Amino acid sequence: MAGSAAQRADAPAPALTIGALAAAAGVAISTVRFYEREGLVEPVERSSAGYRHFSVDTVRRVRFIRRGQELGFTLREVRDVLRLSDEPELITFSDVARQVGDKLAELEQRIIDLGRVRDALALLVETGPTHPRCPVVDAVV
């Protein structure tokens, strides 16, 4: 019995088909295919029938890519983060400091902009549509 537990511990993690990966990550199969074409994910193997098989770790990677995009990161920025995560020996302080500083400034501006939109929406909820001009339009422009 102890031998079977040891065998299971040494067994490779099960591979996921593209459909199982997409379902586990909460994205469409076409999204996984797009990420693969962009070089962001890659199958660990292909079956004899040509089906892609992905590692279970790819679920987290796909979730990061999708969430990064939702948070305003470009695919290039996502690719850079993943590359540095995959190959930390490539990290140089000067490059990372500049890129992080640029992204931080961009995010700070987005937070300010979103705060203005939030305040405009709160004003509409509070007072109703009694304004000569739409506060949301004014907040965005």
Side-chain angles (χ1 to χ4, degrees), residues 23-122:
V27 301
I29 292 173
S30 60
T31 300
V32 176
R33 287 186 181 125
F34 174 74
Y35 292 163
E36 184 182 3
R37 281 192 309 273
E38 291 295 314
L40 299 168
V41 298
E42 59 185 50
V44 290
E45 65 184 10
R46 285 194 179 254
S47 71
S48 58
Y51 292 108
R52 298 168 180 89
H53 289 155
F54 296 87
S55 74
V56 290
D57 295 336
T58 309
V59 173
R60 180 175 163 86
R61 189 175 184 97
V62 169
R63 286 179 181 159
F64 167 76
I65 297 166
R66 173 56 105 206
R67 188 70 177 127
Q69 288 181 290
E70 289 171 356
L71 292 172
F73 286 85
T74 65
L75 273 182
R76 180 176 165 253
E77 291 168 333
V78 167
R79 184 179 289 108
D80 288 346
V81 170
L82 289 172
R83 186 176 56 86
L84 292 175
S85 176
D86 293 342
E87 303 173 53
E89 67 278 4
L90 297 178
I91 297 173
T92 62
F93 180 75
S94 60
D95 287 343
V96 172
R98 182 186 47 77
Q99 289 175 332
V100 169
D102 292 348
K103 192 61 180 180
L104 182 59
E106 179 187 320
L107 290 174
E108 292 291 343
Q109 186 58 54
R110 287 188 71 198
I111 290 168
I112 290 166
D113 293 342
L114 288 170
R116 285 199 312 264
V117 172
R118 180 198 60 225
D119 293 346
L121 291 171

